[in-house]
Amino acid sequence: MKFYNSLTRRKEDFSPLDGKTVRMYTCGPTVYNFAHIGNFRAYIFEDVLRRALEYRGYGVRQVMNLTDVDDKTIRGARAEGVELRKYTEKYKKAFFSDLATLGVEPAEVYPAATDHIPEMISLISELERLGIAYKSEDGSVYYSVSKFPEYGKLAHLDRGGMRHGVRISNDEYEKDAVGDFALWKAWDADDGDVRWDSPWGPGRPGWHIECSAMSMKYLGESFDIHTGGIDNMFPHHENEIAQAEAVTGKQFAAFWLHCAHLRVNGEKMSKSLGNFFTLRDLTERGWSGREVRYVLMSGHYRQPLNFTFDALASARASLARIDAFSDALRECAGGACAADPAPGWVAECVDSFGRAVDDDLNMPEAFSAVFSLVAAANKRLADGKLAPGEAAAAMAAAGGFNRILNVMRVTEDVPAEVSQLLSLREEARRRKDWGESDRLRAAISDLGWAVKDTPSGQKLTRR
Ligand code: AMP
Ligand code: ZN
């Protein structure tokens, strides 16, 4: 597999440092509000990445942080007059429920910043001991970027243009140089009761230190992949590298992958511009999680993607085409075993799909392989030339694609509870007990499945 590494600005061959399990860190949400679908573009790109790695047989250990203390969360909690933890809890829950709606595979660990203050304090202490961090008069602690010669290597900053050691007048910060950033923020009245004791007095950690401390805690000092949206690259990711590598002397993350923005009319979708949609905004208008997933996943992750309702409508049409193909294949296969080896036209699509995914997650190409399979199968069906074993082989191929895409219905396992209700309903219909049959249909529907009666028996689809 090849990925474009932001650190080297090249596509590079990827393999995990330990040869088996990919250790991957993903910058997660600040839980002060509902995430918007721009944020979800980043999380879906990361989901496609982890699923692609799994598709290629690697184990994945993914860590995604939850930023549950910063200016915005504190402001929100104070405005509502509730404790910080209570305030952020609601948005953490909403975030997980949105991830589930979008079919995102859960990460292995979701560490919250407020549960890791001691780890952050010890990393800052180490930076202070090494003479890289300094305390200002108000009790805040800053990172002196001039002490880390490699500062700027991720964002490819021109260091010659950076000024160091010049004390600037700045009302907000008491730092020595413009580029220096806060590791620890001294408590002030705006923070209310949000404070932790530290060697520098009461306060709270800066945002950047959170990710260095938690990634190293759960993944080790050096790990495989660090991801985020492109806006995270500087200063956030640059600062993460500076904090971690200054202490360990080792390479922090081997690969850095960044996704481009989701835009609206050419501008980045963001809370501050007010041009955003949350997932709820869209589901309330009748769009489903998989339709939104399809839109967010269908472009190349390094290309900006413009969000439109037309794109959602065309995702709906594409999914309907894929659903019809799955239904037709299932009917044609009728329980037959997949032809082995798979017919050439199926194998070709599997090859192109794999090649596309391996080439820096080229999803537009991967989708074109999916639709080649759909077209080839449909043509054979229309000509009456699709044998059941071939249909089963095409189904198996589509099921493989869906391990990454997770928008098809092909491989959806019917839960045991639903199959049981289905067989009870079959019996009821044999007895001509229509009342019971309708009751069972409603029970199946409550579990999220629709049952249709066709000449060849009951047919089950996801609602
Ligand atoms: P934030 O909560 O702003 O820190 O963002 C969480 C994640 O979403 C980060 O990885 C951001 O880079 C990413 N992100 C924010 N806005 C967008 C956008 N419009 N398109 C893609 N990713 C975004
Ligand atoms: Zn981060």
Side-chain angles (χ1 to χ4, degrees), residues 57 130 182 220 293 328 393:
L130 293 167
R293 179 179 173 91

Side-chain angles (χ1 to χ4, degrees), residues 154-174:
L154 176 66
H156 293 222
L157 295 186
D158 171 14
R159 282 181 60 90
M162 288 168 62
R163 293 164 68 216
H164 295 298
V166 186
R167 186 142 201 134
I168 48 145
S169 68
N170 183 324
D171 293 341
E172 239 186 296
Y173 303 113
E174 297 205 6

Side-chain angles (χ1 to χ4, degrees), residues 16-189:
L17 296 168
D18 76 358
K20 310 192 285 282
T21 303
V22 181
R23 284 168 292 155
M24 159 169 159
Y25 187 85
T26 302
C27 288
T30 305
V31 279
Y32 74 108
N33 211 326
F34 297 110
H36 59 67
I37 57 165
N39 302 127
F40 286 116
R41 178 180 197 200
Y43 304 128
I44 286 177
F45 140 65
E46 286 143 355
D47 183 53
V48 168
L49 172 61
R50 75 168 271 147
R51 287 170 176 276
L53 291 162
E54 289 170 335
Y55 184 77
R56 285 306 189 205
Y58 296 119
V60 175
R61 176 169 169 80
Q62 183 187 8
V63 177
M64 183 191 281
N65 66 303
L66 301 169
T67 301
D68 59 352
V69 55
D70 79 325
D71 292 342
K72 290 177 282 195
T73 44
I74 294 174
R75 216 180 296 132
R78 295 201 80 191
E80 281 188 16
V82 295
E83 265 184 28
L84 182 66
R85 197 165 265 275
K86 182 145 186 263
Y87 179 76
T88 56
E89 196 53 44
K90 171 170 153 197
Y91 296 111
K92 283 182 195 170
K93 277 208 186 114
F95 178 66
F96 289 123
S97 129
D98 286 354
L99 288 184
T101 304
L102 290 170
V104 171
E105 195 166 63
E108 281 59 36
V109 195
Y110 289 101
T114 55
D115 294 331
H116 296 79
I117 308 290
E119 286 85 345
M120 298 181 215
I121 290 178
S122 83
L123 192 55
I124 301 169
S125 303
E126 194 52 20
L127 287 165
E128 192 180 36
R129 195 184 65 76
L130 293 167
I132 291 165
Y134 61 91
K135 184 177 166 183
S136 69
E137 275 158 31
D138 74 341
S140 292
V141 181
Y142 292 95
Y143 187 105
S144 173
V145 298
S146 64
K147 299 280 172 51
F148 183 64
E150 291 179 64
Y151 192 82
K153 68 179 175 182
L154 176 66
H156 293 222
L157 295 186
D158 171 14
R159 282 181 60 90
M162 288 168 62
R163 293 164 68 216
H164 295 298
V166 186
R167 186 142 201 134
I168 48 145
S169 68
N170 183 324
D171 293 341
E172 239 186 296
Y173 303 113
E174 297 205 6
K175 53 189 182 178
D176 287 353
V178 192
D180 291 358
F181 57 90
L183 295 164
W184 185 261
K185 295 185 175 179
W187 179 87
D188 71 25

Side-chain angles (χ1 to χ4, degrees), residues 55 325-330 333-343 345-347 349-351 353 370 373 377 386-405 408-412:
Y55 184 77
F325 148 86
S326 311
D327 292 346
L329 283 187
R330 196 175 300 125
C337 287
D340 186 16
W345 57 275
V346 173
C349 296
V350 172
D351 279 352
F353 182 86
V370 172
L373 184 70
L386 190 66
E390 289 182 329
M395 264 170 80
F401 301 165
N402 202 39
R403 285 173 53 204
I404 299 181
L405 307 178
M408 298 182 195
R409 290 171 172 164
V410 223
T411 51
E412 195 152 32

Side-chain angles (χ1 to χ4, degrees), residues 112-271:
T114 55
D115 294 331
H116 296 79
I117 308 290
E119 286 85 345
M120 298 181 215
I121 290 178
S122 83
L123 192 55
I124 301 169
S125 303
E126 194 52 20
L127 287 165
E128 192 180 36
R129 195 184 65 76
L130 293 167
I132 291 165
Y134 61 91
K135 184 177 166 183
S136 69
E137 275 158 31
D138 74 341
S140 292
V141 181
Y142 292 95
Y143 187 105
S144 173
V145 298
S146 64
K147 299 280 172 51
F148 183 64
E150 291 179 64
Y151 192 82
K153 68 179 175 182
L154 176 66
H156 293 222
L157 295 186
D158 171 14
R159 282 181 60 90
M162 288 168 62
R163 293 164 68 216
H164 295 298
V166 186
R167 186 142 201 134
I168 48 145
S169 68
N170 183 324
D171 293 341
E172 239 186 296
Y173 303 113
E174 297 205 6
K175 53 189 182 178
D176 287 353
V178 192
D180 291 358
F181 57 90
L183 295 164
W184 185 261
K185 295 185 175 179
W187 179 87
D188 71 25
D190 287 344
D191 293 344
D193 59 0
V194 178
R195 55 198 277 173
W196 286 268
D197 287 332
S198 81
W200 316 283
R204 59 182 161 101
W207 171 39
H208 313 299
I209 199 73
E210 169 187 329
C211 287
S212 296
M214 301 201 289
S215 57
M216 290 198 286
K217 169 165 182 174
Y218 293 101
L219 298 173
E221 292 179 344
S222 295
F223 52 91
D224 298 293
I225 305 181
H226 195 310
T227 62
I230 191 76
D231 55 325
N232 279 165
M233 179 151 77
F234 188 82
H236 183 51
H237 291 164
E238 192 71 56
N239 294 351
E240 281 188 48
I241 293 177
Q243 294 162 146
E245 295 191 1
V247 166
T248 66
K250 297 178 192 159
Q251 182 169 45
F252 179 51
F255 275 72
W256 288 83
L257 271 64
H258 292 102
C259 79
H261 284 145
L262 183 67
R263 295 180 175 173
V264 180
N265 297 325
E267 277 187 308
K268 176 190 172 190
M269 179 178 287
S270 71
K271 289 262 161 65

